Amino acid sequence: KKSFFFNSLMARAFLKRRATSEALHAEEQRGLVILANNEARDMEDEEEVNVKRRCPSPEVCLDRMSLHAPPLSDHLVSARFRLLQNKFSTAPGSVLQEMFEKHPHLFDLYHDELLRQSRTWPFLPVERVATFINSLPSHFVVADFGCGREARLARSLPHIVHSFDLVAASRHVVACNMSATPLVEQSVDVAVFCLSLGGPEIKLHLAEAARVLRPAGRLKIVKFATTGSAEALAAAANAAGFELSCLDTSSGLFIDALFYRRG
């Protein structure tokens, strides 16, 4: 009996030491994985900084990041996208047009990354805008300010849609500054800014929308919540001659607003 009891104690002690050893090994492996991930992230951060240091301008920086080999990690792709977003939020339309004329692939680069990120969004803003316009009479005329590469509203709606962007990526699009479109005064029923309203010329863009809209015309805006508060948007629209009809910020990612033109 004593021998059996002793052997049992030894077996338990062995199993305990083994379990402890396995736990320590697993913890060590987790630590190594975390360390490796941190080192990889640090290397990517360092590479991003190095690329920026070697660049005389944001456009050249974006060029070099887009030509980086091997293919960019998600981290550097996001960094490249942030550079473009920063450019959109700080540069006037004339500067952006000049940038795209010199570096036309940046327009595609921006929209490619926007498409990639959209897979994680709670909804697609262009589809929400299309649903809204489809609820309006089919004879309504629409002005799509910043229609993007595909001009999806013009392609999908039965309405007449005038599509404008800094680059004419398709036959549906007229290239121009959003503050000076070729439309005549009071010629459209709906003006749309779908992820395209922001930057230093927001007042000019809203003034242009007010110019081309008929009295009581609709202004539909969907924008990233990170590009300015809903209160700031409402104040800017009010100053341009619009009355707020409804506002939705429930997604946390977008500000979805509808205004009516006064007068």
Side-chain angles (χ1 to χ4, degrees):
K1 290 182 179 180
K2 289 182 179 181
S3 176
F4 174 79
F5 181 71
F6 177 76
N7 289 339
S8 178
L9 287 177
M10 290 295 291
R12 289 179 183 177
F14 172 76
L15 291 174
K16 185 177 181 180
R17 285 197 303 272
R18 181 175 178 180
T20 302
S21 176
E22 290 177 348
L24 289 173
H25 179 71
E27 185 65 28
E28 181 181 353
Q29 292 300 312
R30 282 195 294 271
L32 289 174
V33 170
I34 292 172
L35 180 62
N37 288 338
N38 288 340
E39 288 180 350
R41 191 156 45 244
D42 290 343
M43 289 175 66
E44 290 177 338
D45 289 338
E46 183 179 357
E47 177 60 31
E48 179 183 342
V49 170
N50 288 338
V51 171
K52 290 179 181 178
R53 284 175 178 169
R54 295 193 297 268
C55 296
S57 70
E59 296 80 14
V60 175
C61 182
L62 287 161
D63 269 345
R64 293 180 182 176
M65 291 177 77
S66 66
L67 296 173
H68 188 275
L72 292 177
S73 65
D74 288 346
H75 180 72
L76 282 180
V77 168
S78 296
R80 184 178 61 183
F81 185 65
R82 288 196 301 273
L83 280 173
L84 272 174
Q85 280 190 313
N86 181 67
K87 190 73 174 178
F88 276 116
S89 64
T90 57
S94 58
V95 172
L96 293 174
Q97 276 189 299
E98 183 180 353
M99 179 184 75
F100 287 132
E101 287 175 1
K102 292 181 178 179
H103 311 274
H105 71 283
L106 293 181
F107 190 76
D108 284 329
L109 185 154
Y110 176 80
H111 286 91
D112 285 343
E113 178 59 14
L114 201 64
L115 177 62
R116 189 182 76 91
Q117 293 197 12
S118 70
R119 299 183 184 117
T120 64
W121 294 349
F123 61 86
L124 293 178
V126 67
E127 291 184 357
R128 178 164 290 194
V129 171
T131 298
F132 164 72
I133 297 176
N134 268 321
S135 69
L136 302 175
S138 60
H139 67 271
F140 272 25
V141 179
V142 180
D144 188 0
F145 291 81
C147 62
R149 180 172 56 188
E150 300 175 353
R152 286 186 59 182
L153 294 182
R155 293 172 182 265
S156 62
L157 294 173
H159 305 71
I160 295 174
V161 180
H162 300 287
S163 303
F164 305 103
D165 213 314
L166 296 171
V167 175
S170 76
R171 61 182 180 84
H172 300 278
V173 184
V174 174
C176 66
N177 191 318
M178 298 308 102
S179 61
T181 68
L183 293 172
V184 300
E185 292 184 7
Q186 300 187 13
S187 58
V188 303
D189 302 284
V190 186
V192 172
F193 289 92
C194 185
L195 304 185
S196 57
L197 184 65
E201 295 183 328
I202 182 173
K203 293 180 180 179
L204 295 177
H205 295 165
L206 290 172
E208 178 66 2
R211 183 186 73 84
V212 303
L213 274 171
R214 297 187 177 99
R218 281 95 166 158
L219 171 63
K220 181 67 171 175
I221 299 173
V222 183
K223 65 192 292 290
F224 286 112
T226 54
T227 60
S229 68
E231 292 77 13
L233 174 62
N238 182 67
F242 294 97
E243 292 289 342
L244 178 64
S245 174
C246 58
L247 184 70
D248 181 7
T249 60
S250 60
S251 71
L253 182 61
F254 301 111
I255 296 171
D256 183 356
L258 176 64
F259 300 88
Y260 284 87
R261 182 183 180 278
R262 291 194 294 266

